[in-house]
Amino acid sequence: MKIENARGVGSAGGAKKSGQTAAPGFAPATDAPQRTAAATSAQSVAGLDTILALQAETLDPDRRRRQVRRGTAALDALEDLQRGLATGRAPGRLKAELERLRRGGEMTGEAGLDSALLEIDTRLAVELAKLEMSLGVA
């Protein structure tokens, strides 16, 4: 927008009737659409950067699903260990299964799920340490 001269502001009139021109001393700049286009392209680049950043930060549904399956399998393996210890016959393959499950942990990005998985991993580590001690003593 371009201002032609620095005259004072006059009194406000009623609504303009169609066909009237702009007030004397005021004319829209001819390069206004070009400036708008430049601002729009800068906004679209900023929007694209935002979308790319969000894609990098979004939660991976496959990772979440994998970790939920791993957590469930770990709880099942711990339950099998508990049953085996109660009956006095824990399967030999169980130690290897617990180690495999413990190694497969990764963060999902969901605080609640990651916290629960961390507790499961801690229990796996404790039970593995107990098994190693009992195998070392025996």
Side-chain angles (χ1 to χ4, degrees):
M1 188 176 320
K2 183 175 178 185
I3 298 176
E4 296 286 326
N5 64 21
R7 293 189 315 176
V9 177
S11 65
K16 278 189 169 184
K17 296 178 184 171
S18 68
Q20 288 184 340
T21 61
F26 177 80
T30 57
D31 62 341
Q34 293 171 350
R35 288 185 186 166
T36 303
T40 303
S41 67
Q43 281 181 331
S44 65
V45 170
L48 180 62
D49 288 343
T50 304
I51 290 170
L52 291 174
L54 284 173
Q55 284 179 342
E57 295 295 320
T58 57
L59 304 176
D60 181 8
D62 293 333
R63 180 184 304 158
R64 182 187 189 287
R65 201 169 314 142
R66 237 183 356 260
Q67 291 306 304
V68 167
R69 265 189 258 126
R70 185 187 70 84
T72 303
L75 290 174
D76 291 343
L78 287 168
E79 189 175 325
D80 290 345
L81 176 65
Q82 182 182 14
R83 256 186 261 128
L85 292 173
T87 61
R89 296 190 298 174
R93 63 157 179 78
L94 197 53
K95 182 176 183 288
E97 177 69 12
L98 292 173
E99 288 172 346
R100 183 189 66 79
L101 289 167
R102 186 160 185 278
R103 281 192 308 266
E106 57 185 328
M107 301 301 281
T108 64
E110 289 184 37
L113 178 58
D114 287 339
S115 175
L117 290 170
L118 182 61
E119 289 181 27
I120 293 170
D121 288 342
T122 302
R123 177 50 56 193
L124 286 172
V126 168
E127 295 304 328
L128 281 168
K130 285 179 184 179
L131 283 174
E132 287 175 4
M133 285 181 60
S134 68
L135 291 175
V137 172

